[in-house]
Amino acid sequence: MKTLIAAYSGALRGNGSSFRSAVQDFTAFSWLSKSKVEKQLQIVSVLQWVISFLTMGVGCTVIMIYILYTDCWLIAALYLAWLVFDWNTPNKGGRRSEWVRNWTVWKYFRDYFPVRLVKTHNLLPSRNYIFGYHPHGIMGLGAFCNFGTEATGFSVKFPGIKSYLATLAGNFRLPLLREYLMSGGICPVNRDTIDYILSKNGTGNAVVIVVGGAAESLDCRPGKHRVTLKERKGFVKLALRHGADLVPLYSFGENDAYKQIIFEEESWGRWVQKKFQKHVGFAPCIFHGCGLFSSSSWGLVPYANPITTVVGEPITVPKMECPTEKDVDLYHSMYLNSLIKLFDKYKTKCGVPETEDLEVN
């Protein structure tokens, strides 16, 4: 700043070259400041979502119970009455808001990593789809950004297709969190909801299922490409029952967002995680990212590594009211092969070594 002041003083004394130099220095200084502000806005946008993901459900429940014991109890009582009345809305596709999906905060969220959505084939609005998202990662950051918002332009890249990101049904039993999720087009990952979207909601619907689920998150580590898929066949059976085309997706960089402590299979830590997963629905991962002000410190902010989600070629699936085990195995095998081919085709473009293979469990 002192240099700028000195340069401007020289300019005022009639030194033209000093004036031009001052203008250039000021422009560079302003650009640097703007860049820092942009970066901080990106960090805050990601951190607010992470905190919401981890605490909003429990926090809102506690606040609602507290309000019931205050003079404002009527507000909480009216909301809880509304909650009972509106209980089945999430199972019917929810209540999405294009305004919420287009919030500017999601663009900052996208640019922090950045997150990119790569289209490889057209999708017909006259068909319905089940997208299989791989891998889960710790929080499914790419899944949320690409399909729970419009930050990466899903509706522009796939005109006539409406995405529904499916997540744990338990989230939709928690006050206020359910409203927040539904506004982004997020729905419960259960059979009733998927049946409704694929059979009673017309065509042009794409249900996005993170196939590996909580079990896959336990194996998430930077630089590792491992998916839980061999025994996950329920989504294929649903596709056959509704004649919905299967679309494999691979999100390069999803596993690089956080570092976590990996417990060995026979260890007490893994035993606790699996028991928790079985009874609660998600696995408690011990993970960390970077700090709010420094990438070298520990915190909840994910690492700013690129996340590139590649949408593969749709697999045409016939409609079968009662698909046999043989039918399910056939289309599951086709899906698995398609996912591996998708990974192999795009891995080097996304910074993965040519020698790296996709590990399927």
Side-chain angles (χ1 to χ4, degrees), residues 144-162:
F144 169 75
C145 187
N146 286 309
F147 307 109
T149 79
E150 284 295 332
T152 55
F154 178 84
S155 63
V156 175
K157 292 178 180 178
F158 299 99
I161 306 297
K162 186 180 290 186

Side-chain angles (χ1 to χ4, degrees), residues 2 34 66 82 92 94 105 115 127 172 205 233-234 249 259 283 294 298:
K2 291 180 178 179
K34 182 179 179 182
Y66 171 77
W82 160 255
K92 296 180 179 179
V105 67
V115 180
R127 300 284 294 174
F172 296 89
N205 302 295
K233 300 180 181 180
L249 283 73
K259 296 176 182 178
S294 172
W298 286 18

Side-chain angles (χ1 to χ4, degrees), residues 17 67 80 90 125 165 183 195 299 304-305 321 334 349:
S17 61
I67 293 175
L80 292 175
L165 177 60
S183 66
D195 282 344
N305 296 314
E321 292 294 334
M334 292 171 62
K349 298 176 183 177

Side-chain angles (χ1 to χ4, degrees), residues 21 33-34 58 60 100 168 189-191 202 222 235 258 273 300 311 348 353 355 358:
S21 177
S33 299
K34 182 179 179 182
V58 174
C60 289
V100 173
L168 289 175
V189 61
N190 57 37
R191 178 172 171 176
F235 73 105
Y258 286 103
Q273 288 177 321
L300 288 175
V311 182
T348 55
T355 55
L358 180 63

